[in-house]
Amino acid sequence: MTDHRLPPIREVVLTRPAGSNAGLREALVAARPAGMPEPVLITQPLLAIQPLADGGDLPDALAAMTAADLVVFVSPRAVEVADAVRSLVDWPAREFAAVGAATGRALAHVGRPATFLPDSSEDSEGLLECLRDVPMSGRRVWIIRGETGRELLADSLAARGAEPRFVAVYRRECPASKPPVPVGPACLWIITAPQALDCFAQLAGETDGSEPGLLDSNLLVINERARERARALGIRGPILLAGGPGAETLARAAWELIAERQSSPPRH
């Protein structure tokens, strides 16, 4: 097979919901290696977050919650939406867990610092490791989330004897607007949410009118499960693993790829 090296990365696309990309943008700028050309940073949200009417499942959950329960927040947005329904300082539960550092910061910001915060990886697996020695038998665990997701977390806690309860407080949707988007092997899309991959594939179906198209772009995802999902959705371009959703982790992984591609220009 002919060796066609991929071109340098010229554009990096930030895909978190509107208002959630500033930290990643700052991390990318701060982590740029000396002398490295700066790619164009483009904000293109792949998800829109809509709080559920009347607090979704939260009012019923709060009515049943006790001091002995554990509450798990899966994202900063889950913290923000839930706190807007009822201030977390007034919740009955005494122990709170966060899936990652950004969620932990969100909890601290509203006055309820996380009791449990993973330091191995910022995902369900990392939190499960953090909770490994915490008694779970018969304990009710409220998982504050969107309408879907974190089934692995719930199943693993249930296997340890816990009683996980999902609490939906927001809905994730693909944005309605479809402006022109950067495509092809010179673009790097940073995607941190599984449902955003679905929206990416949907966008590809609406914009891929030429070769190379959106499906040939580079993706940076947070774990192997996300990479497998991306391949199943038909993404053809390189899919790189960041190792976590933290801004600094993503920035380091992005710059490693950019530097590698900068030093290996395409053959003509």
Side-chain angles (χ1 to χ4, degrees), residues 134-180:
V134 178
M136 285 293 167
S137 182
R139 190 175 195 186
R140 193 160 44 187
V141 180
W142 304 94
I143 302 175
I144 314 300
R145 64 168 193 172
E147 290 182 313
T148 60
R150 304 297 173 175
E151 285 78 9
L152 171 65
L153 177 62
D155 291 345
S156 299
L157 291 174
R160 292 181 51 195
E163 300 176 11
R165 308 282 180 88
F166 286 124
V167 183
V169 296
Y170 60 81
R171 174 180 295 112
R172 288 168 293 202
E173 303 172 340
C174 299
S177 60
K178 299 292 190 297

Side-chain angles (χ1 to χ4, degrees), residues 16 23-24 27 100-102 105 122 192 222 242-252:
R16 286 173 167 167
L24 179 53
R105 289 192 294 270
E122 299 187 67
T192 59
I222 62 174
E248 291 77 13
T249 300
L250 292 165
R252 282 195 303 271

